[in-house]
Amino acid sequence: MLLVRGSGGGTTLTGTVFERGERAPSFKGAPDEDAPYVWVCDSFYEVESGGSELVVNGEPIRVAFESPAPRGFDTRDQAVEAAKEHVRTQFARVGVPEAEVEIEVVKEDP
């Protein structure tokens, strides 16, 4: 399993790439379990009220979470690139410029 972790604006977001032979979570909307690589991560966006508080660049904002965004891929490289793009997109949604987002990929034992 690979953890894809983005940091920026004083906060972090981590998602998981499940690799061939690992059991990805199964839930409504999950990709076909035959996909060799599965990316799963939260999606969120800024809201005026409700949601949860998140501190970005020292300022509290409110965010709402969407259902996890599971996606299946044929190759590890495809999964990792899609994961990085997803993380960058989540930070952009709360006003953190792409240039300020640091992304690391860490191999984690299941």
Side-chain angles (χ1 to χ4, degrees), residues 44-106:
F44 55 85
Y45 54 95
E46 189 171 359
V47 294
E48 293 294 320
S49 63
S52 302
E53 184 175 288
L54 178 67
V55 178
V56 177
N57 291 323
E59 298 292 326
I61 64 169
R62 308 294 301 173
V63 295
F65 288 87
E66 299 171 349
S67 296
R71 294 180 52 199
F73 297 92
D74 292 329
T75 70
R76 182 181 192 201
D77 287 344
Q78 289 173 332
V80 169
E81 285 309 309
K84 289 177 178 180
E85 183 59 31
H86 177 86
V87 169
R88 285 186 202 99
T89 297
Q90 301 318 299
F91 279 97
R93 287 176 154 187
V94 295
V96 178
E98 183 176 334
E100 294 179 16
V101 178
E102 294 182 23
I103 297 178
E104 66 176 331
V105 179
V106 178

Side-chain angles (χ1 to χ4, degrees), residues 16-59:
T16 305
V17 173
F18 293 90
E19 298 183 279
R20 187 182 310 274
E22 295 174 340
R23 187 175 184 93
S26 62
F27 50 87
K28 185 178 179 180
D32 184 334
E33 63 186 46
D34 291 335
Y37 298 89
V38 177
W39 162 246
V40 180
C41 188
D42 288 330
S43 295
F44 55 85
Y45 54 95
E46 189 171 359
V47 294
E48 293 294 320
S49 63
S52 302
E53 184 175 288
L54 178 67
V55 178
V56 177
N57 291 323
E59 298 292 326

